[in-house]
PDB file of all heavy atoms in Angstrom:
ATOM      1  N   SER Q  93     -12.073  -6.588   5.919  1.00  0.00           N
ATOM      2  CA  SER Q  93     -12.808  -5.308   5.970  1.00  0.00           C
ATOM      3  C   SER Q  93     -11.857  -4.102   5.846  1.00  0.00           C
ATOM      4  O   SER Q  93     -12.303  -2.995   5.819  1.00  0.00           O
ATOM      5  CB  SER Q  93     -13.614  -5.251   7.266  1.00  0.00           C
ATOM      6  OG  SER Q  93     -12.700  -5.343   8.373  1.00  0.00           O
ATOM      7  N   ILE Q  94     -10.531  -4.395   5.674  1.00  0.00           N
ATOM      8  CA  ILE Q  94      -9.602  -3.268   5.634  1.00  0.00           C
ATOM      9  C   ILE Q  94      -8.783  -3.323   4.324  1.00  0.00           C
ATOM     10  O   ILE Q  94      -7.634  -2.909   4.307  1.00  0.00           O
ATOM     11  CB  ILE Q  94      -8.662  -3.260   6.832  1.00  0.00           C
ATOM     12  CG1 ILE Q  94      -7.950  -4.562   7.041  1.00  0.00           C
ATOM     13  CG2 ILE Q  94      -9.460  -2.904   8.142  1.00  0.00           C
ATOM     14  CD1 ILE Q  94      -6.747  -4.482   7.997  1.00  0.00           C
ATOM     15  N   GLU Q  95      -9.403  -3.797   3.274  1.00  0.00           N
ATOM     16  CA  GLU Q  95      -8.726  -3.842   1.991  1.00  0.00           C
ATOM     17  C   GLU Q  95      -8.572  -2.464   1.408  1.00  0.00           C
ATOM     18  O   GLU Q  95      -9.400  -1.537   1.740  1.00  0.00           O
ATOM     19  CB  GLU Q  95      -9.501  -4.699   0.988  1.00  0.00           C
ATOM     20  CG  GLU Q  95      -9.543  -6.193   1.315  1.00  0.00           C
ATOM     21  CD  GLU Q  95      -8.152  -6.794   1.420  1.00  0.00           C
ATOM     22  OE1 GLU Q  95      -7.352  -6.652   0.475  1.00  0.00           O
ATOM     23  OE2 GLU Q  95      -7.881  -7.423   2.505  1.00  0.00           O
ATOM     24  N   HIS Q  96      -7.616  -2.264   0.511  1.00  0.00           N
ATOM     25  CA  HIS Q  96      -7.490  -1.028  -0.240  1.00  0.00           C
ATOM     26  C   HIS Q  96      -8.717  -0.915  -1.150  1.00  0.00           C
ATOM     27  O   HIS Q  96      -9.349  -1.928  -1.552  1.00  0.00           O
ATOM     28  CB  HIS Q  96      -6.204  -1.058  -1.080  1.00  0.00           C
ATOM     29  CG  HIS Q  96      -5.926   0.208  -1.774  1.00  0.00           C
ATOM     30  ND1 HIS Q  96      -6.314   0.396  -3.096  1.00  0.00           N
ATOM     31  CD2 HIS Q  96      -5.279   1.348  -1.375  1.00  0.00           C
ATOM     32  CE1 HIS Q  96      -5.893   1.625  -3.492  1.00  0.00           C
ATOM     33  NE2 HIS Q  96      -5.305   2.216  -2.460  1.00  0.00           N
ATOM     34  N   ALA Q  97      -9.062   0.314  -1.510  1.00  0.00           N
ATOM     35  CA  ALA Q  97     -10.251   0.516  -2.381  1.00  0.00           C
ATOM     36  C   ALA Q  97     -10.207  -0.260  -3.647  1.00  0.00           C
ATOM     37  O   ALA Q  97     -11.276  -0.620  -4.235  1.00  0.00           O
ATOM     38  CB  ALA Q  97     -10.351   2.029  -2.660  1.00  0.00           C
ATOM     39  N   SER Q  98      -9.013  -0.568  -4.175  1.00  0.00           N
ATOM     40  CA  SER Q  98      -8.882  -1.229  -5.444  1.00  0.00           C
ATOM     41  C   SER Q  98      -9.266  -2.689  -5.377  1.00  0.00           C
ATOM     42  O   SER Q  98      -9.421  -3.385  -6.395  1.00  0.00           O
ATOM     43  CB  SER Q  98      -7.469  -1.082  -6.011  1.00  0.00           C
ATOM     44  OG  SER Q  98      -6.501  -1.506  -5.047  1.00  0.00           O
ATOM     45  N   ILE Q  99      -9.448  -3.223  -4.161  1.00  0.00           N
ATOM     46  CA  ILE Q  99     -10.026  -4.549  -3.961  1.00  0.00           C
ATOM     47  C   ILE Q  99     -11.491  -4.346  -3.497  1.00  0.00           C
ATOM     48  O   ILE Q  99     -12.443  -4.956  -4.016  1.00  0.00           O
ATOM     49  CB  ILE Q  99      -9.255  -5.330  -2.862  1.00  0.00           C
ATOM     50  CG1 ILE Q  99      -7.896  -5.805  -3.410  1.00  0.00           C
ATOM     51  CG2 ILE Q  99     -10.060  -6.548  -2.418  1.00  0.00           C
ATOM     52  CD1 ILE Q  99      -7.900  -6.918  -4.475  1.00  0.00           C
ATOM     53  N   LEU Q 100     -11.623  -3.490  -2.493  1.00  0.00           N
ATOM     54  CA  LEU Q 100     -12.944  -3.305  -1.883  1.00  0.00           C
ATOM     55  C   LEU Q 100     -14.041  -2.959  -2.862  1.00  0.00           C
ATOM     56  O   LEU Q 100     -15.104  -3.506  -2.899  1.00  0.00           O
ATOM     57  CB  LEU Q 100     -12.799  -2.185  -0.828  1.00  0.00           C
ATOM     58  CG  LEU Q 100     -13.658  -2.217   0.404  1.00  0.00           C
ATOM     59  CD1 LEU Q 100     -13.631  -3.569   1.106  1.00  0.00           C
ATOM     60  CD2 LEU Q 100     -13.205  -1.106   1.381  1.00  0.00           C
ATOM     61  N   LYS Q 101     -13.695  -1.945  -3.694  1.00  0.00           N
ATOM     62  CA  LYS Q 101     -14.788  -1.452  -4.592  1.00  0.00           C
ATOM     63  C   LYS Q 101     -15.209  -2.504  -5.646  1.00  0.00           C
ATOM     64  O   LYS Q 101     -16.376  -2.739  -5.795  1.00  0.00           O
ATOM     65  CB  LYS Q 101     -14.359  -0.136  -5.262  1.00  0.00           C
ATOM     66  CG  LYS Q 101     -14.408   1.009  -4.243  1.00  0.00           C
ATOM     67  CD  LYS Q 101     -14.392   2.348  -4.948  1.00  0.00           C
ATOM     68  CE  LYS Q 101     -14.666   3.439  -3.942  1.00  0.00           C
ATOM     69  NZ  LYS Q 101     -14.653   4.779  -4.575  1.00  0.00           N
ATOM     70  N   PRO Q 102     -14.249  -3.121  -6.423  1.00  0.00           N
ATOM     71  CA  PRO Q 102     -14.737  -4.149  -7.313  1.00  0.00           C
ATOM     72  C   PRO Q 102     -15.395  -5.334  -6.607  1.00  0.00           C
ATOM     73  O   PRO Q 102     -16.371  -5.877  -7.065  1.00  0.00           O
ATOM     74  CB  PRO Q 102     -13.486  -4.580  -8.091  1.00  0.00           C
ATOM     75  CG  PRO Q 102     -12.311  -4.043  -7.350  1.00  0.00           C
ATOM     76  CD  PRO Q 102     -12.852  -2.862  -6.554  1.00  0.00           C
ATOM     77  N   ALA Q 103     -14.848  -5.699  -5.465  1.00  0.00           N
ATOM     78  CA  ALA Q 103     -15.395  -6.890  -4.754  1.00  0.00           C
ATOM     79  C   ALA Q 103     -16.829  -6.582  -4.315  1.00  0.00           C
ATOM     80  O   ALA Q 103     -17.693  -7.496  -4.316  1.00  0.00           O
ATOM     81  CB  ALA Q 103     -14.544  -7.223  -3.588  1.00  0.00           C
ATOM     82  N   LYS Q 104     -17.087  -5.342  -3.905  1.00  0.00           N
ATOM     83  CA  LYS Q 104     -18.456  -5.008  -3.451  1.00  0.00           C
ATOM     84  C   LYS Q 104     -19.468  -5.098  -4.551  1.00  0.00           C
ATOM     85  O   LYS Q 104     -20.680  -5.205  -4.304  1.00  0.00           O
ATOM     86  CB  LYS Q 104     -18.479  -3.621  -2.804  1.00  0.00           C
ATOM     87  CG  LYS Q 104     -17.714  -3.636  -1.442  1.00  0.00           C
ATOM     88  CD  LYS Q 104     -18.604  -3.083  -0.380  1.00  0.00           C
ATOM     89  CE  LYS Q 104     -18.041  -3.486   0.994  1.00  0.00           C
ATOM     90  NZ  LYS Q 104     -17.874  -2.378   1.938  1.00  0.00           N
ATOM     91  N   GLU Q 105     -19.018  -5.130  -5.808  1.00  0.00           N
ATOM     92  CA  GLU Q 105     -19.942  -5.240  -6.941  1.00  0.00           C
ATOM     93  C   GLU Q 105     -20.221  -6.729  -7.236  1.00  0.00           C
ATOM     94  O   GLU Q 105     -21.049  -7.002  -8.141  1.00  0.00           O
ATOM     95  CB  GLU Q 105     -19.350  -4.591  -8.153  1.00  0.00           C
ATOM     96  CG  GLU Q 105     -19.366  -3.076  -8.061  1.00  0.00           C
ATOM     97  CD  GLU Q 105     -18.746  -2.393  -9.271  1.00  0.00           C
ATOM     98  OE1 GLU Q 105     -18.247  -3.084 -10.145  1.00  0.00           O
ATOM     99  OE2 GLU Q 105     -18.744  -1.167  -9.262  1.00  0.00           O
ATOM    100  N   CYS Q 106     -19.505  -7.583  -6.582  1.00  0.00           N
ATOM    101  CA  CYS Q 106     -19.695  -9.055  -6.884  1.00  0.00           C
ATOM    102  C   CYS Q 106     -20.667  -9.600  -5.820  1.00  0.00           C
ATOM    103  O   CYS Q 106     -20.527  -9.387  -4.646  1.00  0.00           O
ATOM    104  CB  CYS Q 106     -18.376  -9.830  -6.782  1.00  0.00           C
ATOM    105  SG  CYS Q 106     -17.171  -9.177  -7.950  1.00  0.00           S
ATOM    106  N   VAL Q 107     -21.623 -10.418  -6.372  1.00  0.00           N
ATOM    107  CA  VAL Q 107     -22.707 -10.886  -5.427  1.00  0.00           C
ATOM    108  C   VAL Q 107     -22.158 -11.840  -4.383  1.00  0.00           C
ATOM    109  O   VAL Q 107     -22.710 -11.937  -3.281  1.00  0.00           O
ATOM    110  CB  VAL Q 107     -23.860 -11.562  -6.205  1.00  0.00           C
ATOM    111  CG1 VAL Q 107     -24.723 -10.562  -6.872  1.00  0.00           C
ATOM    112  CG2 VAL Q 107     -23.344 -12.602  -7.195  1.00  0.00           C
ATOM    113  N   GLY Q 108     -21.103 -12.566  -4.707  1.00  0.00           N
ATOM    114  CA  GLY Q 108     -20.615 -13.603  -3.759  1.00  0.00           C
ATOM    115  C   GLY Q 108     -19.577 -13.071  -2.777  1.00  0.00           C
ATOM    116  O   GLY Q 108     -18.872 -13.910  -2.188  1.00  0.00           O
ATOM    117  N   THR Q 109     -19.466 -11.786  -2.604  1.00  0.00           N
ATOM    118  CA  THR Q 109     -18.404 -11.304  -1.730  1.00  0.00           C
ATOM    119  C   THR Q 109     -18.792 -11.355  -0.258  1.00  0.00           C
ATOM    120  O   THR Q 109     -19.904 -10.961   0.134  1.00  0.00           O
ATOM    121  CB  THR Q 109     -18.027  -9.828  -2.102  1.00  0.00           C
ATOM    122  OG1 THR Q 109     -17.416  -9.853  -3.413  1.00  0.00           O
ATOM    123  CG2 THR Q 109     -17.022  -9.258  -1.124  1.00  0.00           C
ATOM    124  N   VAL Q 110     -17.890 -11.865   0.544  1.00  0.00           N
ATOM    125  CA  VAL Q 110     -18.064 -11.958   1.989  1.00  0.00           C
ATOM    126  C   VAL Q 110     -16.924 -11.142   2.625  1.00  0.00           C
ATOM    127  O   VAL Q 110     -15.775 -11.331   2.319  1.00  0.00           O
ATOM    128  CB  VAL Q 110     -17.958 -13.431   2.471  1.00  0.00           C
ATOM    129  CG1 VAL Q 110     -18.094 -13.516   3.956  1.00  0.00           C
ATOM    130  CG2 VAL Q 110     -18.940 -14.305   1.736  1.00  0.00           C
TER     131      VAL Q 110
END
Side-chain angles (χ1 to χ4, degrees):
S93 56
I94 56 164
E95 293 303 306
H96 186 265
S98 53
I99 288 290
L100 209 50
K101 286 197 173 180
K104 288 235 162 128
E105 286 177 1
C106 302
V107 284
T109 294
V110 178

